[in-house]
Amino acid sequence: MDTSSWVTRVNEHITAILDNQRATLSHLGNDVTAFTDFAATMLAGGKRFRAQFCAMGYACGASEFPSSVWDVAAGLELFHAAALAHDDIMDKSDTRRGIPAAHRFFENGHRDSGWDGDSEHFGVSSALLFGDFLLALSDLAVARGFRDHADRDASFAARLEFDQMRLDVTAGQYLDIVEENAWPTVSPEASLGRAQTVLTYKSAKYSIEAPLVIGASLAGASDSIIASLREFAVPLGNAFQLRDDILGVFGDPAVTGKPVGDDLSEGKRTVLIALAMKQLSVAERGTLNASLGSSSLTETDIARIQTQLESTGARAAVETMIDEEFDRALSALERSELAPDNKASLRALAERVVVRSA
């Protein structure tokens, strides 16, 4: 399957959506079109994994791709961008994909323009609205796709999955910030299971399972095919997010577009951290807990924590978990009733999702 052409189609739809909104908002002046301009910059990058999995899901139930599929796939990418904008506010991230995070972009614009008031507060407020703007564009895209799709029952089934995805991500995001604050009341033994729940609901399900099932539902795929796709997607999504957790601590900033050890500065209570905590002494846990979430971490501090995560075996354990989840996903794929070409395409995309450096 020519997945590169799928990415091109989705990019074309995203560009058209942003161009249309720029024209719609232009009468309000240049201040408002900053939203569309920054959206175009932010959405210029990305691997379009969610769009590709949506198209893959559709290919498991139908052979011809109507325009409605690309509207829905573009809507998933717009939703992802919205989630990133809001996530960066909560995490106090400075960068995303090598450019300023949305709140920093608007903060810098306020400061550079010499406007009155607090630049940081303006940046956060603007980025909240910017994320909402992207959510609205996502809704417009998927609503058009569902409206124009010929099979009304299939559209309704896909819409239900899309709505459930949004609810899951919201709940998962909340659990993420709970973990960043509730850790003093959680035992090291319980923290691993809690971190795994966050991993699944904040990212894994919406990154792979939901796009696949939305696409398959839109194609009118059978219940058995959709069940097979879920069985494949959930462990693959877990492997995908576990890889992200490794990159968030050990990734190369030149590749990831984020500072080294960014998850440490943000205080992320990931599976990687939970595994390390179980192996540390009480005193060592106290030192690590005091470091996580600190905005003043130096390169030496980050290197010390990285060494700790490796010496406890936490990094190796996460790599093993990635391999195990990936194997579970591939085993489910092989057991499925999917056509051989669909299996091959899904396997190739799965490998790109898990074996990556950004």
Side-chain angles (χ1 to χ4, degrees):
M1 294 182 184
D2 185 10
T3 57
S4 63
S5 69
W6 294 357
V7 173
T8 298
R9 292 291 299 273
V10 171
N11 286 339
E12 290 171 350
H13 277 244
I14 291 173
T15 298
I17 289 165
L18 294 178
D19 286 347
N20 180 63
Q21 285 304 306
R22 186 179 292 109
T24 300
L25 297 175
S26 61
H27 71 283
L28 296 176
N30 292 334
D31 291 336
V32 178
T33 55
F35 268 18
T36 51
D37 292 343
F38 186 66
T41 299
M42 183 179 181
L43 282 153
K47 302 173 184 64
R48 305 289 188 247
F49 281 147
R50 290 154 190 85
Q52 290 188 61
F53 276 111
C54 179
M56 285 284 192
Y58 191 87
C60 292
S63 56
E64 298 296 327
F65 286 77
S67 181
S68 54
V69 175
W70 308 120
D71 280 325
V72 174
L76 288 170
E77 292 295 331
L78 288 162
F79 176 84
H80 177 51
L84 295 181
H86 286 158
D87 190 52
D88 285 342
I89 295 170
M90 289 178 272
D91 291 342
K92 300 179 181 178
S93 297
D94 292 324
T95 60
R96 171 68 66 178
R97 295 173 178 169
I99 62 174
H103 59 289
R104 297 303 184 207
F105 170 80
F106 290 108
E107 176 185 339
N108 295 340
H110 178 281
R111 185 180 296 111
D112 294 344
S113 298
W115 292 346
D116 189 29
D118 182 271
S119 296
E120 184 175 359
H121 179 71
F122 177 86
V124 169
S125 301
S126 299
L128 282 170
L129 294 169
F130 175 70
D132 290 346
F133 171 73
L134 292 174
L135 284 174
L137 291 185
S138 171
D139 266 348
L140 283 172
V142 298
R144 182 171 62 188
F146 295 147
R147 179 201 66 193
D148 293 345
H149 198 63
D151 188 334
R152 310 308 301 164
D153 289 340
S155 290
F156 182 69
R159 178 81 219 195
L160 289 177
E161 189 69 26
F162 178 76
D163 290 343
Q164 187 61 53
M165 175 195 75
R166 297 194 300 178
L167 292 169
D168 286 344
V169 172
T170 302
Q173 183 68 68
Y174 174 67
L175 289 176
D176 189 32
I177 61 174
V178 165
E179 289 309 297
E180 290 174 22
N181 292 271
W183 63 264
T185 67
V186 179
S187 70
E189 291 72 26
S191 63
L192 178 58
R194 292 166 68 100
Q196 289 171 320
T197 299
V198 171
L199 175 148
T200 298
Y201 281 87
K202 180 189 172 184
S203 178
K205 288 174 71 69
Y206 109 88
S207 294
I208 297 176
E209 181 192 18
L212 263 178
V213 175
I214 289 168
S217 298
L218 202 61
S222 67
D223 290 344
S224 61
I225 285 180
I226 289 176
S228 295
L229 290 175
R230 289 192 193 277
E231 190 179 0
F232 159 76
V234 172
L236 180 62
N238 289 337
F240 169 81
Q241 185 54 44
L242 288 168
R243 175 61 64 205
D244 253 14
D245 291 347
I246 291 288
L247 294 173
V249 174
F250 296 98
D252 180 355
V255 179
T256 64
K258 302 201 79 170
V260 64
D262 198 49
D263 279 5
L264 303 176
S265 301
E266 294 172 1
K268 292 292 186 185
R269 298 283 161 167
T270 62
V271 169
L272 177 66
I273 296 299
L275 288 169
M277 288 291 186
K278 291 180 67 175
Q279 302 301 319
L280 297 175
S281 68
V282 173
E284 289 169 329
R285 287 175 198 160
T287 301
L288 181 54
N289 278 322
S291 299
L292 292 174
S294 171
S295 59
S296 58
L297 285 181
T298 64
E299 290 185 5
T300 300
D301 294 328
I302 291 170
R304 171 179 54 80
I305 297 171
Q306 288 174 329
T307 299
Q308 202 169 36
L309 294 176
E310 291 187 316
S311 65
T312 58
R315 182 178 184 178
V318 171
E319 291 288 356
T320 298
M321 291 173 70
I322 291 172
D323 291 341
E324 290 173 348
E325 294 287 345
F326 187 56
D327 288 344
R328 281 180 57 207
L330 294 185
S331 294
L333 184 62
E334 288 308 308
R335 290 195 306 271
S336 74
E337 61 185 82
L338 298 176
D341 59 335
N342 289 330
K343 288 183 180 181
S345 296
L346 282 168
R347 181 180 183 116
L349 186 53
E351 290 173 348
R352 289 175 52 205
V353 160
V354 174
V355 184
R356 60 194 171 94
S357 57

